């Protein structure tokens, strides 16, 4: 019976409700009510009296009508999402083509709204079916396929290769179970959750769960039971998403475990009451394609990768995700299903489970030898060997076993069919990280097998071939075989020039960089010894040959880049890395600095700097911070007393970069806030290298240049623009600016440069001024500028080199000022060491005043420092007089020499001076820290008779080597620690 009621405005809601109640008691209801000109339609079929009291088998004759309604909901967006292009009449036809959308409909490939509408219609059908005890229309396979297909059409990828393949993601409210309205349909989702994050893969699993629950409720009829294609749709999505680390880290069960669980559910038997009715024994017999999807999911599974990154994403939404529990669903259906998990502690456990499925798939292929099963088996081989190769690259445990297994699977895949080029590339990359000496030869053999496909009809992917060449080169570089790596590189260049693979095949720049790196460390003498791969090549001639070879490979790289640039393609972009390696190879040819090698070393660095000029000015490749670090470090090592020119070259190179930065700030419209700290250079390391170069000159001019550069650095940072700042609510924050901020190292270098200058009368004043500037920043809240032991000690050393001429505490002498610095160290929780006390004693000994009172104060401070250092050593764990201390908190030979120097300079000749000198000398001999300097200071401090009595000989020229060895047992350089 079919009834159509015309709605009138005079009909009340109560009358409408009475009509609907009458219809629902007599018919199978699907009612739609519209007021005004619309009509109320009710489709129903008369039921017998028995059907009103008991649930009848499902009747699918009326389901087609509802399927048509769902299809009309889904398909219009497909047909009416049209885009038209038109050109403006006021402009030329080829310029500024505008694009508009004809009908404002969301795309069904990117927006899930139409699919959600169809899902609501499906859920309403199921709710009516459950609430009417089976008297309303029942959804069938077609109904679920329509809704699942609408979600399956949503795009899996975002269209950008750098974006993780999460696909279309939306938010929705948790759905209620159609059968039990008070229970949540989404497993492991709390009913109090307002929104959950949903993807098409999760939605397909949810719909499959609904279909299985309905199928169980209706007695597993064939019209509702999911087909193998429906399971394959879900397994294919899970396999694609299995390698997504970001998404799997938020789920309780990984996609690989979920896919394996679905496969086991397919193989489970029906409950006994349904199996006796002549139904199929299993829920759905999986085919070879289903198993291949599960193998792909297991092969893509990365337990260690996503478990380590679990919860580390800072910008991820905190919305919960849906986690369907297949085990709980099976228990509700009285189906026996064991839970499946992939243990993380077992190496490549997911791959082992995939191999078990592969054996089952091979048996299935032996029973059904057809093209479809063959393609599925080949796909499984490909996925599994790539999984082993990926595991070998990303994991350190069981690496060789994984590589061996990947190679075996490749051989089996080649025996079955033509292996894809990606399989060869995966195996070669796995071999490239192997520590076995034979791995490189095996990688070349696999590469030759791959290239043999060029003579056949099989089409090779150009990117896979390029990756395979790069992996083979890396395998030889891993074994420190630069010659064979060079051979493979030129084979790749030859294939590129032959154009056999078309214009898509281009050698990768990283292959050239890897080969250049191999030549920069190549040493043929290490091939027959056990020191292969050492970073320094012993032979100067070999280092020169390596640098020349590296530059010749760089020329080949530039030739390929020019050829690609002539094609007007922007795909081939050169970076600074290959040039950096070539520059480093040239710098490694430097010899030890001496008067003879000074000029030759200067020419070598200038030659390396010419590579930088060629890179920037001719090739248009921007240098990076590492480029300048190599050259600045080279100039710093050549800087020494008498070679101030090297420091000037270093500063000239630094100012070249500073000028480029200043010019770019003037002509660039970029927002400074868009920069990061890594984008700011020259950085503090570049400045510190130049400061160190000036300090190494150990000249007054070098110290003044270092101070001038530090002052300029401070001014540039003060005038720089802020690119980012810390939390404003904090007590103190340091703004990140587009200029380098002077740090503790920069100040320490400049203070050391002045502390070692005796010719500068202002050395101690400058050192004190820099120290006070650091303390001011530290007390203002910049914790990184807290002066350390090295800086305080250097300032004390400056007092020993030159008298203080500043305005701070002018009534104090140098000894008192040095002791006040020691008190400041202790107040600031900075631990002094033996160097600090030694320089205090030396500063006291250098007291230039002839006032007896000043000399007495200085001597008291020297003895006080000596006693404190002795107490510090006595409080240490090692109190054995025969043992030598290895820390920096005990008296050493400098301590005893400076103490004897203080006795000589501050005490008049007297028995008291002799007594103090005798005790100091005897203690130095007892502790094993007596050397030639101590004996020289003793000779100046006591008379000749006492000196000969103390050393036990009357010889005039006495050295420490003539004395007992126990006196100097701790004076070896290895015993001194700073």
């Amino acid at each position: 019976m079919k009834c159509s009621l015309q709605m009138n405005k005079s009909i009340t809601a109560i009358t409408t409700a009475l009509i609907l109640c009458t219809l629902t008691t007599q018919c199978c209801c699907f009612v739609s009510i519209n007021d005004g000109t619309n009509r109320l339609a009710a489709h129903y079929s008369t039921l017998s009296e028995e059907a009103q009291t008991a649930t009848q088998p499902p009747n699918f004759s009326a389901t087609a009508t509802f399927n048509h309604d769902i299809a009309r909901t889904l398909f219009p967006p497909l047909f009416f999402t049209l885009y038209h292009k038109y050109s403006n009449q006021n402009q030329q036809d080829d310029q500024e083509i505008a694009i508009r959308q004809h009908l404002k409909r969301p795309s069904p490939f990117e927006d899930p709204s139409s699919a959600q509408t169809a899902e609501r219609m499906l859920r309403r059908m199921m709710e009516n079916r459950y609430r009417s005890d089976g008297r309303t229309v029942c959804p069938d396979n077609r109904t679920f396929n329509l809704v699942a297909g609408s979600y399956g059409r949503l795009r899996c990828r975002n269209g950008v290769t750098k974006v993780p393949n999460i696909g279309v993601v939306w938010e929705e409210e948790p759905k209620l179970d159609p059968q039990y309205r008070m229970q949540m349909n989404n497993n492991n989702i709390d009913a109090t959750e307002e929104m959950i994050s949903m993807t098409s893969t999760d939605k397909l699993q949810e719909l499959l769960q609904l279909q299985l629950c309905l199928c169980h409720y209706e007695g597993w009829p064939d019209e509702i039971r999911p087909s193998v294609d429906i399971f394959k749709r879900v397994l294919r999505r899970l396999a694609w998403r299995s390698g997504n680390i970001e998404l799997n880290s938020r789920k309780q069960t990984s996609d690989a475990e979920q896919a394996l669980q679905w496969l086991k559910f397919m193989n489970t038997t029906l409950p006994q009451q349904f199996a006796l009715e002549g139904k199929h024994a299993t829920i759905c017999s999986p085919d070879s394609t289903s198993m291949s999807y599960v193998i792909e999911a297991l092969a893509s599974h990365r337990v260690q990768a996503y478990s380590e990154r679990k919860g580390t994403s800072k910008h991820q939404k905190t919305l919960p995700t849906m986690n369907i529990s297949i085990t709980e669903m099976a228990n509700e259906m009285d189906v026996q299903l064991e839970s499946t998990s992939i243990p993380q502690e077992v190496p490549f456990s997911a791959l082992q489970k995939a191999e078990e499925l592969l054996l089952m798939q091979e048996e299935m292929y032996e029973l059904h030898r057809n093209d479809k099963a063959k393609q599925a088996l080949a796909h499984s081989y490909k996925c599994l060997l790539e999984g082993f190769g990926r595991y070998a690259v990303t994991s350190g445990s069981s690496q060789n076993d994984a590589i061996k297994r990947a190679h075996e699977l490749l051989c089996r895949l080649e025996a079955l069919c033509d292996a894809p080029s990606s399989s060869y590339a995966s195996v070669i990359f796995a071999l490239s990280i192997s520590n076995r000496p034979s791995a490189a030869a095996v990688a070349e053999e696999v590469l030759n097998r791959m290239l043999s496909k060029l003579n056949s009809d099989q089409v090779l992917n150009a990117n896979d071939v390029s990756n395979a060449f790069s992996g083979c080169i890396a395998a030889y570089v891993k074994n420190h075989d630069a010659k064979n790596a060079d051979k493979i590189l030129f084979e790749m260049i030859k294939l590129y020039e032959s154009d056999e693979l078309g214009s898509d095949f281009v050698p990768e720049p990283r292959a050239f960089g890897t080969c250049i790196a191999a030549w920069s460390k190549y040493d043929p003498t290490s091939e027959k010894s056990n020191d292969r791969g050492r970073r320094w090549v012993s032979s100067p001639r070999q280092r020169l040959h390596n640098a020349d070879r590296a530059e010749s490979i760089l020329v080949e790289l530039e030739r390929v880049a020019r050829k690609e640039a002539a094609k007007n393609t922007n795909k081939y972009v050169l970076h600074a890395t290959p040039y950096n390696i070539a520059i480093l190879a040239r710098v490694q040819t430097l010899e030890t600095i001496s008067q003879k090698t000074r000029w030759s070393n200067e020419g070598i660095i200038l030659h390396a700097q010419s590579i930088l000029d060629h890179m920037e000015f001719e090739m248009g490749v921007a240098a990076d911070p590492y480029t300048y670090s190599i050259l600045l470090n080279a100039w710093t090592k050549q800087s020494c007393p008498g070679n101030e020119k090297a420091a000037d070259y270093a500063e000239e190179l630094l100012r070249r970069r500073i000028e480029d930065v200043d010019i770019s700030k003037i002509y660039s419209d970029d927002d400074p806030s868009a920069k990061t700290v890594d984008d700011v250079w020259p950085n503090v390391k570049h400045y510190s290298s130049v400061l160190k170069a000036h300090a190494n000159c150990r000249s007054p001019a070098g110290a003044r240049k270092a101070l001038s550069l530090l002052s300029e650095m401070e001014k540039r940072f003060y005038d720089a623009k802020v690119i980012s700042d810390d939390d404003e609510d904090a007590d103190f924050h340091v703004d990140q600016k587009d200029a380098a901020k002077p740090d503790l190292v920069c100040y320490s270098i400049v203070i050391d440069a002045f502390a070692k200058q005796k010719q500068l009368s202002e050395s101690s004043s400058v050192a004190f001024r820099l120290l006070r500037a650091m303390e001011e920043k530290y007390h203002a809240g910049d914790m990184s500028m807290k002066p350390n032991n090295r800086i305080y000690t250097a300032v004390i050393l400056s007092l020993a080199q030159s008298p203080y001429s500043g305005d701070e505490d002018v009534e104090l002498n140098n000894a008192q000022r040095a002791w006040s610095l020691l008190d400041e160290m202790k107040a600031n929780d900075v631990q002094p060491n033996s160097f600090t006390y030694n320089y205090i004693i030396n500063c006291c000994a250098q007291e230039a005043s002839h006032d007896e009172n000043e000399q007495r104060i200085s001597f008291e401070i020297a003895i006080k420092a000596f006693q404190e250092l002795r107490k510090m050593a006595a409080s240490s764990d090692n109190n054995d007089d025969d043992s030598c201390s290895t820390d920096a908190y005990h008296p050493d030979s400098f301590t005893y020499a400076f103490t004897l120097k203080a006795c000589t300079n501050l005490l008049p000749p007297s028995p008291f001076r002799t007594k103090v000198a005798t005790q100091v000398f005897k203690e130095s001999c007892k502790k094993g820290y007596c050397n030639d300097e101590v004996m020289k200071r003793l000779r100046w401090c006591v008379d000749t008779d006492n000196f000969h009595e103390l050393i036990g000989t009357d010889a005039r020229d006495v050295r420490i080597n003539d004395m007992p060895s126990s006196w100097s047992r701790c004076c070896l350089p290895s015993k001194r620690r700073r």
Side-chain angles (χ1 to χ4, degrees):
M1 177 180 178
K2 185 174 183 180
C3 177
S4 177
L5 300 178
Q6 181 69 30
M7 290 290 293
N8 194 338
K9 293 183 179 181
S10 61
I11 300 177
T12 63
I14 298 176
T15 307
T16 304
L18 292 174
I19 295 173
L20 292 179
C21 291
T22 305
L23 290 174
T24 52
T25 57
Q26 300 293 331
C27 62
C28 169
C29 293
F30 173 74
V31 183
S32 60
I33 304 172
N34 294 317
D35 56 0
T37 59
N38 295 331
R39 62 194 180 93
L40 179 147
H43 300 277
Y44 62 94
S45 58
T46 305
L47 299 175
S48 61
E49 295 181 358
E50 294 82 1
Q52 298 180 15
T53 59
T55 303
Q56 298 294 323
N59 185 5
F60 300 98
S61 59
T63 309
T65 304
F66 296 93
N67 292 343
H68 293 161
D69 292 339
I70 293 176
R72 280 193 295 269
T73 304
L74 295 174
F75 290 134
L78 289 176
F79 297 129
F80 292 101
T81 304
L82 305 176
Y83 294 86
H84 297 275
K85 297 181 181 180
Y86 69 94
S87 59
N88 195 342
Q89 296 180 358
N90 297 330
Q91 298 176 353
Q92 297 181 2
D93 295 339
D94 297 336
Q95 295 180 357
E96 298 186 7
I97 299 177
I99 301 175
R100 68 180 179 87
Q101 191 173 356
H102 182 61
L103 294 176
K104 299 300 181 180
R105 291 180 179 270
S107 171
F109 303 106
E110 298 176 355
D111 188 87
S113 58
S114 60
Q116 289 173 327
T117 302
E119 183 189 357
R120 286 193 293 268
M121 297 173 67
L122 171 63
R123 287 181 176 273
R124 181 56 57 89
M125 290 176 64
M126 297 179 65
E127 289 175 7
N128 292 337
R129 180 72 179 175
Y130 288 132
R131 285 188 294 177
S132 64
D133 292 332
R135 290 193 294 271
T136 58
V137 68
C138 182
D140 59 1
N141 267 326
R142 174 64 176 167
T143 314
F144 286 97
N145 278 335
L146 285 170
V147 181
S150 62
Y151 284 109
R153 279 191 294 270
L154 294 175
R155 299 186 189 277
C156 296
R157 304 176 185 275
N158 291 338
V160 183
T161 56
K162 294 183 180 180
V163 178
N165 295 329
I166 297 178
V168 180
V169 182
W170 67 93
E171 300 174 6
E172 67 176 31
E173 297 179 356
K175 298 294 190 304
L176 296 174
D177 195 310
Q179 186 174 3
Y180 308 103
R181 294 285 295 175
M182 298 306 295
Q183 296 182 6
M184 304 305 297
N185 180 65
N186 297 336
N187 296 286
N188 303 320
I189 294 293
D190 190 0
T192 60
E193 297 288 352
E194 295 181 358
M195 302 295 288
I196 61 172
S197 178
M198 185 66 67
T199 63
S200 58
T201 306
D202 297 329
K203 184 58 70 174
L204 288 175
Q205 293 187 82
E206 184 183 12
L207 291 173
L208 180 57
Q209 183 189 29
L210 289 176
Q211 186 174 0
L212 290 168
C213 292
L214 179 63
C215 188
H216 176 72
Y217 176 80
E218 299 292 347
W220 295 95
D222 294 337
E223 292 83 359
I224 308 178
R225 185 185 300 190
S227 63
V228 68
D229 293 333
I230 296 178
F231 281 98
K232 285 193 296 187
R233 177 186 293 165
V234 175
L235 294 176
R236 182 171 64 249
R237 284 299 185 99
L238 289 172
W240 165 80
R241 204 179 63 173
S242 178
N244 193 309
I245 300 175
E246 288 80 3
L247 194 59
N248 276 274
S249 62
R250 293 180 289 160
K251 305 182 80 61
Q252 298 176 6
T253 305
S254 67
D255 290 321
E257 294 172 337
Q258 198 80 348
L260 185 60
Q261 198 76 351
W262 278 119
L263 183 65
K264 289 188 175 182
F265 182 81
M266 293 172 66
N267 275 318
T268 55
T269 57
L270 290 173
Q272 187 176 4
Q273 62 270 26
F274 300 109
L276 294 176
E277 297 176 3
K279 304 292 184 182
H280 295 290
T282 58
I283 294 177
C284 180
S285 299
D287 58 359
S288 184
T289 307
S290 304
M291 297 181 121
S292 66
Y293 288 145
V294 179
I295 291 174
E296 180 182 357
L298 292 170
S300 302
H301 178 69
R302 287 176 280 182
V303 176
Q304 295 179 354
Y306 80 73
S307 63
E308 291 173 359
R309 294 181 53 178
K310 193 171 184 178
T312 57
S313 180
K314 297 181 180 179
H315 305 288
Q316 264 184 1
K317 293 185 177 180
T318 57
L319 290 177
T321 57
M322 191 189 73
N323 293 276
I324 291 181
S325 176
I326 304 175
T327 306
E328 294 180 5
M329 180 189 68
N331 293 335
E332 294 177 359
M333 299 178 183
D334 298 329
V335 175
Q336 299 298 327
L337 181 66
E338 297 180 358
S339 60
T340 301
S341 62
I342 300 177
Q344 300 184 15
E345 62 275 3
V346 181
F348 52 85
S349 56
L351 297 175
Q352 291 177 348
K353 292 182 180 295
E355 283 197 283
E356 295 175 3
L357 294 179
L358 182 63
L359 295 177
M360 298 172 57
Q361 190 177 4
E362 289 175 346
E363 295 176 358
M364 189 180 298
Y365 174 69
E366 293 296 332
L367 296 176
H368 308 284
R369 284 183 171 270
N370 51 47
D371 293 339
K372 188 176 181 180
K374 182 178 180 179
Q375 293 176 0
L377 183 59
H379 180 73
S380 300
Y381 279 133
K382 169 185 172 296
C383 295
L384 191 54
L385 72 89
E386 290 180 0
F388 275 109
R390 189 184 305 110
Y391 179 86
V393 173
T394 58
S395 302
S397 60
S398 305
Q399 182 186 93
N400 292 328
D401 294 338
I403 296 173
K404 180 180 179 181
R405 188 64 182 136
H407 190 220
E408 291 175 355
L409 288 171
L410 177 62
C411 297
R412 291 167 63 178
L413 178 59
E414 288 177 323
L416 181 66
C417 62
D418 291 334
S421 55
S422 60
S423 300
Y424 292 98
S426 298
V427 175
I428 292 175
F429 260 112
L431 290 167
S432 66
I433 52 93
S434 176
N435 294 322
R436 293 183 177 181
S438 60
V442 177
E444 183 178 1
E445 188 262 337
V446 174
L447 176 64
N448 293 331
R449 280 153 52 187
M450 179 183 185
L451 296 178
S452 64
K453 305 292 184 180
L454 291 173
N455 301 325
S456 61
D457 296 334
Q458 183 179 358
V459 179
L460 296 179
N461 184 278
N463 292 330
D464 292 335
V465 176
S466 181
N467 291 335
F469 271 106
S470 299
C472 189
I473 292 173
Y476 276 114
V477 173
K478 182 76 174 179
N479 288 335
H480 317 292
D481 192 349
K483 291 185 177 179
N484 281 315
D486 194 288
K487 181 190 70 173
I488 299 298
L489 176 66
F490 278 89
E491 288 182 4
M492 179 172 59
I493 296 175
K494 182 179 179 181
L495 181 61
Y496 166 72
E497 294 176 347
S498 65
D499 206 18
E500 292 185 39
L501 290 174
S503 59
D504 292 336
F505 175 70
V506 181
E508 291 184 341
R510 63 172 174 172
F512 290 89
T514 305
C515 199
I516 293 174
W519 277 111
S520 66
K521 297 180 290 186
Y522 178 67
D523 189 359
T525 59
S526 64
E527 294 182 354
K528 299 180 181 180
S529 61
N530 295 326
D531 55 351
R532 298 187 62 179
R534 58 188 179 186
R535 296 186 60 85
W536 183 251
V537 183
S538 56
S539 173
R541 180 176 298 180
Q542 183 63 42
R543 294 199 300 267
L544 181 61
H545 172 74
N546 293 349
D548 295 338
R549 192 61 191 150
E551 291 184 22
S552 65
I553 297 175
L554 190 62
V555 171
E556 294 294 331
L557 173 61
E558 293 177 348
R559 188 168 63 85
V560 174
R562 290 191 181 97
K563 187 175 180 179
E564 289 298 313
K567 299 178 182 179
N568 295 325
T569 59
N570 298 326
K571 297 180 181 179
Y572 203 81
V573 180
L574 291 181
H575 298 284
T577 302
Y579 291 93
N580 293 344
I581 303 173
I583 292 173
L584 181 61
R586 181 59 62 182
V587 168
Q588 286 177 349
T589 61
L590 293 172
E591 298 183 17
T592 305
I593 182 66
S594 64
Q595 190 67 26
K596 295 181 179 179
T597 61
R598 179 183 301 175
W599 301 109
S600 60
N601 287 349
E602 179 180 329
I604 291 173
I605 303 178
L606 291 175
H607 177 82
Q609 195 163 319
S610 67
I611 300 177
L612 171 64
D613 300 336
H614 171 74
M615 174 181 67
E616 290 186 327
F617 302 138
E618 297 184 18
M619 298 302 299
V621 179
D624 61 6
Y626 187 58
T627 314
Y628 278 76
S629 296
I630 297 172
L631 294 171
L632 290 176
N633 187 43
W635 285 121
T636 301
K637 290 182 178 179
Q638 296 304 308
S639 177
C640 61
N643 191 20
E644 293 83 0
K645 191 176 181 180
D648 294 336
Y649 275 126
E651 184 170 354
E652 180 182 353
L653 182 62
L654 177 67
R655 295 194 177 279
R656 166 179 165 177
R657 173 59 189 173
I658 294 175
E659 292 175 1
D660 293 341
V661 172
D662 292 340
I663 293 173
S664 64
K665 288 181 180 179
I666 295 174
Y667 293 100
S668 178
D669 297 331
D670 297 338
D671 185 10
S673 60
K675 292 183 178 180
T676 62
V677 180
D678 296 334
D679 297 331
V680 177
W681 66 284
N683 52 36
V684 65
K685 294 182 179 180
H686 297 143
Y687 278 99
S688 61
S689 295
V690 180
L691 292 174
K692 185 67 174 176
H694 286 305
N696 288 344
C697 297
R698 304 219 175 161
S699 63
R704 290 193 177 102
K705 289 179 182 178
L707 179 62
S708 175
L709 183 60
L710 179 64
S711 302
E712 180 182 348
M713 190 179 178
E714 285 278 8
K715 184 178 182 302
R716 289 182 64 86
F717 180 76
Y718 180 80
D719 297 335
K721 296 180 180 179
V722 178
I723 58 176
S724 65
D725 54 7
D726 298 333
D727 188 7
E728 295 181 356
D729 297 334
D731 296 336
F732 181 83
H733 69 275
V734 179
D735 293 335
Q736 300 292 344
K737 298 184 177 181
D738 59 348
K741 174 182 174 293
D743 61 355
L744 211 63
V745 176
C746 297
Y747 277 90
S748 176
I749 292 173
V750 179
I751 291 176
D752 276 339
F754 277 91
K756 297 175 182 177
Q757 292 302 318
K758 295 182 179 180
Q759 298 90 338
L760 292 176
S761 59
E762 71 273 14
S763 294
S764 58
S765 302
V766 173
F768 260 88
R769 187 169 71 248
L770 294 176
L771 175 63
R772 297 311 177 201
M774 297 173 63
E775 290 178 342
E776 182 179 357
K777 293 181 180 180
Y778 169 67
H779 292 305
D782 190 356
M783 305 306 295
S784 64
M785 296 301 294
K786 180 181 180 180
N788 55 21
N789 174 278
R790 186 182 183 91
I791 291 177
Y792 278 110
T793 303
V795 176
I796 294 174
L797 176 62
S798 68
L799 293 172
Q801 301 293 345
S802 65
Y804 179 73
S805 58
D807 300 332
E808 180 181 341
D809 297 332
V810 294
E811 69 277 2
L812 300 179
N813 59 18
N814 280 355
Q816 293 171 321
R817 191 168 284 106
W819 189 260
S820 66
L821 285 177
L822 180 64
D823 293 336
E824 289 183 18
M825 292 178 63
K826 296 176 181 178
N828 294 331
D829 294 330
V830 179
Q831 178 68 30
N833 56 17
S834 60
F835 289 89
T836 310
Y837 287 103
N838 290 345
Y839 290 151
I840 291 177
I841 298 172
N842 189 32
C843 181
C844 296
Q846 294 287 102
E847 177 60 42
S849 176
H850 297 287
D851 187 358
E852 293 183 359
N853 186 37
E854 294 290 338
Q855 291 182 350
R856 180 183 59 80
I857 294 175
S858 299
F859 181 75
E860 290 177 354
I861 293 175
I863 296 300
K864 188 177 180 180
F866 179 65
Q867 295 294 344
E868 279 198 11
L869 184 57
R870 294 177 65 201
K871 291 180 181 179
M872 186 184 300
S875 62
S876 61
D877 296 334
N878 188 5
N879 295 323
D880 189 2
D881 294 337
D882 295 332
S883 62
C884 297
S885 300
T886 57
D887 54 28
Y889 304 99
H890 67 281
D892 56 11
S893 57
F894 288 93
T895 309
Y896 298 108
F898 288 151
T899 305
L900 291 174
K901 179 181 177 181
C903 293
T904 304
N905 296 343
L906 302 177
L907 294 178
S910 63
F912 177 72
R913 188 174 81 171
T914 303
K915 180 180 178 181
V916 173
T918 301
Q919 291 179 353
V920 171
F921 177 74
K922 288 183 177 180
E923 182 175 335
S924 68
C925 296
K926 181 180 179 181
K927 297 292 184 180
Y929 287 103
C930 182
N931 58 9
D932 290 330
E933 185 67 22
V934 173
M935 295 182 64
K936 182 179 71 173
R937 295 293 178 182
L938 177 66
R939 182 189 294 272
W940 293 349
C941 188
V942 299
D943 55 24
T944 304
D945 296 336
N946 289 327
F947 176 74
H948 289 162
E949 181 181 354
L950 287 173
I951 64 175
T953 180
D954 295 337
R956 291 185 176 181
D957 188 11
V958 180
R959 301 185 63 83
I960 191 62
N961 294 333
D962 302 328
M963 299 293 103
S965 60
S966 61
W967 289 12
S968 60
R969 65 183 182 276
C970 297
C971 292
L972 297 176
S974 59
K975 297 296 182 181
R976 292 189 59 220
R977 294 287 185 269
R978 181 167 184 174

